Amino acid sequence: MDAAFFAASAIALAATVMAITRTDAVHALLYFIVSLLGVAVVFYTLGASFAAVLEVIIYAGAIVVLFVFVVMMLNLGREAAARERGWLRPAMWAGPSLLALLLFVEIVALLAAAAPSHAGIHAVEARQVGAALFGPYLLAVELASMLLLAGLVGAYHLGRDDRNDRDGRNSGRAGGHAPGRLP
Amino acid sequence: MSGPAPEWGLAVAAALLALGLAGVLVRRNVIFILMSVEIMLNAGGLAAVAAGARWGQADGQILFVLVLALAAAEVSVGLGLILLLHRRFGTVDADRFSEMRG
Amino acid sequence: MLPWLWTIPALPFAGFLLLVLTGARLRQRAAAWIGAGSVGLAFLVALAVAAAAAAGSGATLPYSQTLGRWIDAGGLHAAFSLYLDALSLLMILVISGVGFLIHLYSVEYMSGEDGYCRFFCCMNLFVASMLVLVLARDLLFLFLGWEGVGLCSYLLIGFWYRDPRNGAAACKAFIVTRIGDAAMAVGLFPLFTRLGTSDIPALAQAAGAQWMRGDAAAVAAAMLLLGGAVGKSAQLPLQTWLPDAMAGPTPVSALIHAATMVTAGVYLIARLHALYDLAPLAEAAVAVIGASTLLLAGCSALVQTDIKRVLAYSTISQIGYMFLALGVGAWQAAMFHFLTHACFKALLFLAAGVVIHAMGGEQNILRMGGLRRRLPLAFWSSLVGGASLAALPLITAGFYSKDLILWFAWDSQRGAQWLWLAGWTGALLTSVYTFRMLFLVFFGAPASEQSRRAAEHAGPAVRIPLLVLSVLSIVAGFVETPRLLGNITLFSRYIAAALPDTVTRAASPGMEAAIEALAIVASLGGLYAAFTLFIRRPQLPRRLAERAAGLVRWWRSDWAMDALYDAVLVRPYVALARINRRDVVDAFYDGVARAAAVAHGALSRSENGFLRWYAAGLGAGAVILIAIGTWGRT
């Protein structure tokens, strides 16, 4: 199990690094999917099979797919990739890398300072999770569903295309909006 | 049950968090920023699950489920906003959306 | 009757309040009634209190009355407390009595003036403050009255405020006395802190118990309080304000700058005589200051041409005598001279007021002359007052008091021969300048048109005070006569309850007779000299003045002290102020403002609307907080 854990972690980390450094959006998203699958394997090695499955189905299978759809709709094109390359000069990485490194070092130092617990891993089965969800965490489930409803309504409203519904008041704007004046 | 020590799980989560943070700070394209945020949320969920595994309770995975629900809602709304931004301003450059400046 | 003590300062204060609140709408008669009436009432109450104290078996004095607590902070407990003993009873009788007479005089003198009501308002406040000053049992309460009289002096000197010169004179008076007041305030602190109390009788006792004679703290406190007294009483080196204070109306000069306020310093030292007994250095300083001031002012008075300035320098000189007396330990003699001086100096000022009014505002004595037939009241009043000032023997009050001082200057344990010599020379000078003034104003030929046309318009309100003060200037001295001339010791026995007897060297009666004879010689000699110079050979003074023009100019300008202060104090300060025109301290505060502006610029640049900038801020903040939280306490 250990070997699987370390291997999956390594893959997840490497994939994440690739994801944040790509200029092409779709490439980055594909690397992101790899990262998520690696994390799912990590979940499994930790005995959390339910979480692993959820990770694959929802995170990799729904959320990232949403990303892909939007990238497709935006249709940014090749000049976008060129622009991204311009924005990703190595000099830009200095500050953020430093900050991220500091954060990582701090957390690892905290972890190392804590006394090592010799408790091992206890697998938690799906049944246990389900029982807890419909038991003490019932309210949280309901709230989560309301959150999702809000997300649904919001996404619908934001993504609505007004062009076909207009009753002809704003003529002169055929063929999509002209880009608004930037502040 | 044998397995890796949970501290390693937390360490991996920390690393993923750091990488996500770096991604948020470096990228200018809002889609990439949003993706980096997802990376950070995922890292948080990993930490929760690792902790739950250490204590043998379901709470870790439940937290993960809730984080997942949150991420889903957030991504849908966020992407809707990105679409609107692109339609309105014709660009997805985060640095151009700076009207809330002092 | 004694419990009514508090009404004595309260009545004039009530008059002040009434006038300040309603004065704008009052007619002059009403303001006069309130103004003079309140002081008159206070005098009646004072008389009643005196009668009650005398009728009681003598054990009723000293009487204390506390009106309320004031400060209760740390070790300092100050209260509004009044203290009536022989000394303060004398003071309140003189202040309210002479004050009332001057108020009565002002009713007619200031009638028709713009600001009539304001005048009585300030005068009432002055009388109230002065009464508080002399009645106060607590040093802080005394200081309150001290400051009050200083304020009223300023208000009244600058009464005709439309002329900026009057305002300048008022400022000068206030600022110079302020220097003294600052020294006095500082001097109060070692008394409070070392002796733990601000109550005067308790202070005197504690000082005697705690400090040896010559103790540094006692000397320091005494010298600093002397600074305050010097300022208020216009002695060297702070005497420059009094001649210029003559810019105020004549009743003001009479009340404040002759009879009462300028004697506050004398009162302070007399009241705290226990402290001065412990500080021989300070006592010596008092005597030296008194002696030098009386000589200096006497010389200056000799060459003045403004009638009020002559009287001002004369006041400075006479208070010098009181200081001399205090300095040699002749406490009772000082207060005796205060009593007589209040009478004859007020009289002289009031008579001068009549002369000035009759001359249509002219104050230069060289333009007067021959007024004795045209202004009989003023003439006879001035004659009596001037005779008393010059200490004409036997028939004037001034003779007895000045003679007593001269005697103690010679005979007291702390006296010295040169102090007596200074006093004697001063007496000679006093006689000369007094009669010079009288001869130039009332005798000889009229020197100008106004003096030919001068006419006396004096109603009862003017006559009565002049009359009463004239009588007092003669009889007030009979309460205390020397051993060889009747040995009446009414006054000294009365005031011995509050002020101790002088320690003398007990010179022989022969010596005593010699000293008194010399005093008579000084007074009469001065009269003869003035008669010669100004009646018999009027050309002589003019030729003398021409020959010694520089000396005359120097003396007339108060021994050039104004110029000295200007060169030594004012000009360097102005030069420094010019150097510091771009104020260094201001630059510091400007720098603070500029730093704030810079910080503002920096911070507002951080609010740039960039998403990633804000995210970086969040991240950095999180990193720092985690660091502080985990390792902050190591």
Side-chain angles (χ1 to χ4, degrees):
Chain A
M1 273 306 195
D2 276 10
F5 170 81
F6 285 114
S9 317
I11 292 174
L13 286 171
T16 308
V17 172
M18 295 298 280
I20 62 178
T21 52
R22 297 302 98 199
T23 55
D24 189 327
V26 179
H27 292 177
L29 286 169
L30 291 173
Y31 276 113
F32 186 33
I33 292 179
V34 172
S35 161
L36 293 172
L37 293 177
V39 171
V41 173
V42 167
F43 282 163
Y44 182 74
T45 61
L46 287 175
S49 40
F50 185 56
V53 169
L54 280 183
E55 175 92 350
V56 174
I57 297 176
I58 297 178
Y59 226 124
I63 293 177
V64 180
V65 168
L66 261 181
F67 267 101
V68 172
F69 270 120
V70 168
V71 167
M72 183 188 73
M73 279 169 68
L74 284 182
N75 203 9
L76 292 175
R78 215 161 286 228
E79 72 277 6
R83 210 174 37 201
E84 287 281 347
R85 231 171 292 132
W87 288 342
L88 277 183
R89 290 188 314 277
M92 304 281 284
W93 283 95
S97 312
L98 181 64
L99 199 58
L101 190 65
L102 275 175
L103 187 62
F104 177 65
V105 164
E106 268 185 358
I107 300 180
V108 166
L110 274 173
L111 285 173
S117 67
H118 297 289
I121 299 292
H122 308 278
V124 178
E125 300 225 333
R127 182 173 303 174
Q128 225 177 320
V129 178
L133 270 179
F134 285 95
Y137 289 102
L138 191 54
L139 192 57
V141 173
E142 297 305 321
L143 288 174
S145 65
M146 288 172 81
L147 176 67
L148 288 168
L149 179 65
L152 173 69
V153 171
Y156 166 75
H157 175 74
L158 288 172
R160 192 170 57 167
D161 191 353
D162 281 344
R163 277 174 295 180
N164 299 332
D165 307 327
R166 203 157 292 137
D167 51 1
R169 259 181 299 175
N170 284 342
S171 56
R173 288 272 194 94
H177 290 244
R181 198 179 68 83
L182 285 174
Chain B
M1 171 169 180
S2 71
E7 288 83 8
W8 283 110
L10 291 178
V12 172
L16 283 176
L17 185 77
L19 286 172
L21 178 65
V24 165
L25 295 179
V26 169
R27 305 304 304 246
R28 255 169 100 159
N29 192 328
V30 290
I31 299 177
F32 283 96
I33 293 178
L34 195 54
M35 190 187 72
S36 308
V37 172
E38 294 308 311
I39 297 173
M40 289 166 80
L41 278 170
N42 187 34
L46 171 57
V49 170
R54 181 252 178 269
W55 291 102
Q57 292 170 350
D59 299 335
Q61 293 190 46
I62 288 175
L63 179 58
F64 176 70
V65 168
L66 295 174
V67 166
L68 215 49
L70 166 75
E74 170 222 351
V75 162
S76 31
V77 172
L79 288 172
L81 282 171
I82 292 177
L83 280 176
L84 261 185
L85 282 174
H86 180 77
R87 209 177 289 156
R88 184 103 195 288
F89 295 112
T91 175
V92 287
D93 179 3
D95 281 352
R96 300 285 270 255
F97 310 127
S98 57
E99 262 184 65
M100 285 185 72
R101 113 182 86 231
Chain C
M1 197 61 221
L2 283 182
W4 289 92
L5 186 62
W6 65 275
T7 60
I8 297 180
L11 279 167
F13 190 71
F16 155 73
L17 279 180
L18 204 58
L19 287 173
V20 109
L21 292 173
T22 65
R25 282 166 279 153
L26 283 177
R27 280 175 305 128
Q28 287 203 340
R29 269 179 75 86
W33 272 99
I34 296 175
S38 60
V39 181
L41 271 178
F43 178 58
L44 288 176
V45 176
L47 277 178
V49 163
S57 55
T60 49
L61 287 184
Y63 172 78
S64 296
Q65 190 178 40
T66 306
L67 303 173
R69 303 218 62 82
W70 186 9
I71 301 175
D72 266 325
L76 183 63
H77 303 281
F80 294 122
S81 48
L82 302 177
Y83 185 68
L84 186 70
D85 65 351
L87 176 61
S88 49
L89 182 60
L90 171 71
M91 297 294 294
I92 60 173
L93 284 173
V94 170
I95 294 169
S96 55
V98 175
F100 170 63
L101 288 173
I102 295 179
H103 275 73
L104 184 59
Y105 175 92
S106 323
V107 165
E108 183 179 320
Y109 190 79
M110 300 291 292
S111 75
E113 281 282 342
D114 197 22
Y116 189 76
C117 187
R118 178 166 50 101
F119 179 80
F120 279 103
C121 201
C122 298
M123 290 285 268
N124 272 14
L125 182 62
F126 168 78
V127 174
S129 304
M130 190 72 203
L131 287 169
V132 162
L133 197 160
V134 299
L135 278 174
R137 186 190 160 109
D138 190 284
L139 256 185
L140 277 181
F141 199 30
L142 187 150
F143 194 59
L144 179 70
W146 187 276
E147 294 294 314
V149 299
L151 169 70
C152 295
S153 169
Y154 168 79
L155 290 174
L156 285 165
I157 294 175
F159 179 70
W160 289 307
Y161 57 88
R162 291 212 171 83
D163 185 345
R165 285 172 302 174
N166 298 337
C171 284
K172 179 174 180 181
F174 193 76
I175 292 172
V176 175
T177 53
R178 189 32 109 217
I179 299 173
D181 294 345
M184 177 171 170
V186 171
L188 292 180
F189 298 151
L191 290 178
F192 295 158
T193 52
R194 298 293 186 89
L195 300 175
T197 175
S198 59
D199 185 78
I200 295 179
L203 204 77
Q205 247 185 330
Q210 205 173 318
W211 286 335
M212 302 291 299
R213 189 178 156 82
D215 191 298
V219 172
M223 290 297 274
L224 286 167
L225 289 174
L226 175 64
V230 157
K232 201 61 107 188
S233 295
Q235 299 293 290
L236 218 61
L238 294 175
Q239 89 286 7
T240 52
W241 65 271
L242 191 54
D244 291 312
M246 297 297 114
T250 307
V252 169
S253 307
L255 183 61
I256 300 186
H257 305 127
T260 42
M261 185 182 97
V262 290
T263 55
V266 177
Y267 169 75
L268 180 72
I269 297 179
R271 177 56 87 204
L272 293 174
H273 66 266
L275 177 66
Y276 281 89
D277 273 333
L278 297 170
L281 182 64
E283 273 207 327
V286 172
V288 168
I289 287 177
S292 34
T293 308
L294 70 90
L295 281 179
L296 191 139
C299 292
S300 297
L302 208 47
V303 293
Q304 296 296 322
T305 54
D306 182 333
I307 191 173
K308 283 178 75 174
R309 282 182 91 99
V310 176
L311 294 175
Y313 281 107
S314 168
T315 304
I316 300 176
S317 184
Q318 296 304 306
I319 298 183
Y321 271 102
M322 296 183 216
F323 267 61
L324 175 61
L326 293 171
V328 300
W331 316 104
Q332 301 167 349
M335 297 318 294
F336 184 37
H337 195 57
F338 155 76
L339 172 65
T340 58
H341 176 260
C343 299
F344 62 67
K345 197 42 75 63
L347 175 64
L348 279 170
F349 266 107
L350 295 185
V354 173
V355 170
I356 293 172
H357 255 193
M359 292 284 293
E362 175 64 61
Q363 294 181 223
N364 189 339
I365 57 179
L366 297 177
R367 299 223 195 97
M368 304 179 188
L371 289 179
R372 73 178 184 281
R373 279 187 234 290
R374 307 194 66 86
L375 310 177
L377 175 67
F379 170 59
W380 287 106
S381 317
S382 302
L383 196 59
V384 171
S388 207
L389 173 59
L392 231 47
L394 295 176
I395 50 167
T396 60
F399 167 69
Y400 293 104
S401 57
K402 188 174 291 184
D403 178 64
L404 198 59
I405 295 180
L406 287 177
W407 167 240
F408 280 126
W410 177 270
D411 192 44
S412 160
Q413 285 272 1
R414 303 198 202 120
Q417 286 173 350
W418 74 270
L419 285 173
W420 171 85
L421 187 61
W424 184 85
T425 315
L428 184 62
L429 281 173
T430 305
S431 191
V432 175
Y433 70 67
T434 307
F435 285 109
R436 165 183 178 259
M437 180 188 78
L438 287 175
F439 291 151
L440 280 178
V441 172
F442 293 108
F443 290 79
S448 70
E449 193 54 42
Q450 285 138 313
S451 63
R452 259 185 285 270
R453 305 251 194 103
E456 198 167 70
H457 308 290
V462 165
R463 284 181 194 279
I464 294 178
L466 286 176
L467 213 58
V468 172
L469 287 172
S470 305
V471 170
L472 282 175
S473 297
I474 297 177
V475 303
F478 293 147
V479 296
E480 181 80 13
T481 63
R483 227 184 329 200
L484 302 171
L485 294 170
N487 201 19
I488 305 176
T489 52
L490 281 175
F491 183 82
S492 49
R493 269 185 297 143
Y494 159 74
I495 205 143
L499 294 174
D501 286 331
T502 317
V503 180
T504 64
R505 279 179 250 207
S508 62
M511 200 70 232
E512 203 175 330
I515 297 286
E516 302 207 1
L518 281 173
I520 295 178
V521 162
S523 165
L524 291 176
L527 168 57
Y528 177 70
F531 183 71
T532 315
L533 284 174
F534 296 104
I535 302 266
R536 276 237 301 253
R537 301 207 208 128
Q539 319 299 328
L540 201 50
R542 214 165 304 142
R543 261 185 293 156
L544 280 174
E546 268 163 47
R547 206 97 55 82
L551 187 68
V552 166
R553 231 196 339 256
W554 186 38
W555 279 356
R556 187 170 297 155
S557 71
D558 194 12
W559 294 53
M561 293 213 75
D562 273 334
L564 177 70
Y565 287 151
D566 186 59
V568 169
L569 294 174
V570 174
R571 258 189 246 145
Y573 183 78
V574 169
L576 275 177
R578 213 166 281 141
I579 293 175
N580 194 29
R581 210 176 348 175
R582 250 177 255 117
D583 196 356
V584 172
V585 181
D586 232 12
F588 169 71
Y589 289 110
D590 276 346
V592 169
R594 226 173 303 139
V598 164
H600 163 77
L603 281 176
S604 55
R605 237 171 292 139
S606 77
E607 198 179 345
N608 47 21
F610 291 141
L611 175 68
R612 295 182 302 140
W613 177 269
Y614 293 161
L618 284 174
V623 167
I624 293 172
L625 281 175
I626 295 175
I628 293 177
T630 4
W631 299 294
R633 241 169 288 123
T634 58

